[in-house]
Amino acid sequence: MTFPIPDDVLNGEHALFSPSAAKRWMACPASIYRSMGKESVSTKPAAVGTAAHWVLEHALLFGMDADYFLGCDAPNGIPIDAEICTHVQTAIDWVEAEIANGDELLVESKVDIYKSLGLDLPVIYGTCDIRILGSNGVLTVADYKHGVWGVSVKKNPQLELYALGALHELNYVYDRVRLVILQPRNGGVKILETTTEQLLSNELMYRHSVDTALYENSVAIPSSNSCKFCLAKHECAENWEFRNREIVDLMP
């Protein structure tokens, strides 16, 4: 029996199955049910990242350089300093260099991923930082990461889910897809080109992961990665047992 989803969760600003947290809910199905309704606590690095995304979005929408926002405060109150502008500008330069005649740029566009997975309920959707609808037959899906913690473009479920949602929205007219991580503070531009066929071969895996996590009694599978950002980790017995085992293993 699936668990009931309150209307405020189902119709909230953020998806129950966040693409950015896909590694967590794919690894630990129980994290969805146990975290539901809990508020996340924003950290300073996360707030700075949100501010950097704000600069990137508006710079691309209005054809500006990042320096235009120098000295402003982002909507979340973070001052836009020279360091933020420098890093964001590298992403702006890359996007502008990639846009050719006939290409269409979509910035901060919502992607209804649940439709591509054949789900009736809007439990998984997200906002894609950058999409380039290439006149050369290539769809580009890019995500900006402002942090220093390295993010790989390989086997990246967030990018793959965005791409699946975008392909469905575009009626699968693209045969090739470029997945891109823009991370100026760790690795710069990371690109993986794949095929629509290859991405579609992973669709069943993602659908299965969502279906599994929609059960109230889905299993908890604690691990260093799945528990790190889980909102329920402090109340999770399985997490405490996992941590205790780690401590025991470290003992001489």
Side-chain angles (χ1 to χ4, degrees):
M1 179 178 178
T2 57
F3 70 87
I5 307 172
D7 288 342
D8 62 331
V9 174
L10 191 60
N11 302 310
E13 180 181 355
H14 301 290
L16 182 61
F17 288 81
S18 168
S20 61
K23 285 187 176 181
R24 171 178 57 77
W25 50 257
M26 290 177 70
C28 181
S31 67
I32 286 291
Y33 178 74
R34 297 184 185 187
S35 299
M36 187 172 62
K38 290 181 170 60
E39 292 291 333
S40 60
V41 178
S42 181
T43 63
K44 180 65 179 294
V48 172
T50 298
H53 273 83
W54 176 76
V55 174
L56 177 63
E57 175 187 2
H58 288 83
L60 289 175
L61 284 175
F62 298 106
M64 301 171 176
D65 285 337
D67 283 348
Y68 178 86
F69 300 89
L70 183 62
C72 297
D73 285 348
N76 64 352
I78 297 296
I80 306 303
D81 58 20
E83 183 180 9
I84 291 175
C85 291
T86 297
H87 294 314
V88 171
Q89 189 62 46
T90 64
I92 295 170
D93 292 342
W94 181 84
V95 172
E96 291 180 343
E98 292 298 309
I99 300 297
N101 292 331
D103 290 350
E104 181 180 355
L105 173 64
L106 301 178
V107 181
E108 289 292 315
S109 55
K110 184 181 179 183
V111 185
D112 290 328
I113 301 161
Y114 68 94
K115 294 178 180 179
S116 67
L117 300 183
L119 293 160
D120 295 326
L121 291 175
V123 293
I124 176 169
Y125 52 85
T127 301
C128 182
D129 291 346
I130 296 160
R131 279 192 281 172
I132 300 174
L133 313 185
S135 56
N136 59 353
V138 179
L139 168 67
T140 297
V141 174
D143 192 64
Y144 177 82
K145 301 293 186 185
H146 192 72
V148 296
W149 184 31
V151 178
S152 175
V153 72
K154 298 178 181 178
K155 297 182 179 180
N156 186 308
Q158 181 183 15
L159 283 179
E160 290 192 3
L161 286 166
Y162 282 148
L164 287 169
L167 287 167
H168 179 82
E169 179 184 311
L170 297 166
N171 296 314
Y172 302 98
V173 296
Y174 289 94
D175 294 325
R176 291 181 296 150
V177 180
R178 283 196 314 168
L179 305 176
V180 182
I181 290 292
L182 301 171
Q183 191 172 19
R185 300 170 71 197
N186 192 324
V189 181
K190 310 166 192 179
I191 301 175
L192 175 67
E193 185 162 330
T194 186
T195 64
T196 296
E197 182 181 10
Q198 180 61 47
L199 285 172
L200 289 175
S201 70
N202 293 333
E203 205 167 37
L204 184 60
M205 173 187 66
Y206 291 121
R207 171 60 191 263
H208 176 72
S209 294
V210 173
D211 286 341
T212 301
L214 279 174
Y215 282 88
E216 182 174 356
N217 296 320
S218 54
V219 64
I221 307 175
S223 68
S224 296
N225 289 329
S226 64
C227 295
K228 185 172 184 179
F229 297 111
C230 181
L231 298 179
K233 63 183 178 182
H234 299 302
E235 304 168 8
C236 177
E238 289 86 351
N239 175 57
W240 282 105
E241 292 174 6
F242 170 72
R243 293 302 181 195
N244 286 336
R245 288 196 302 270
E246 282 193 321
I247 294 172
V248 171
D249 290 342
L250 290 172
M251 293 176 65

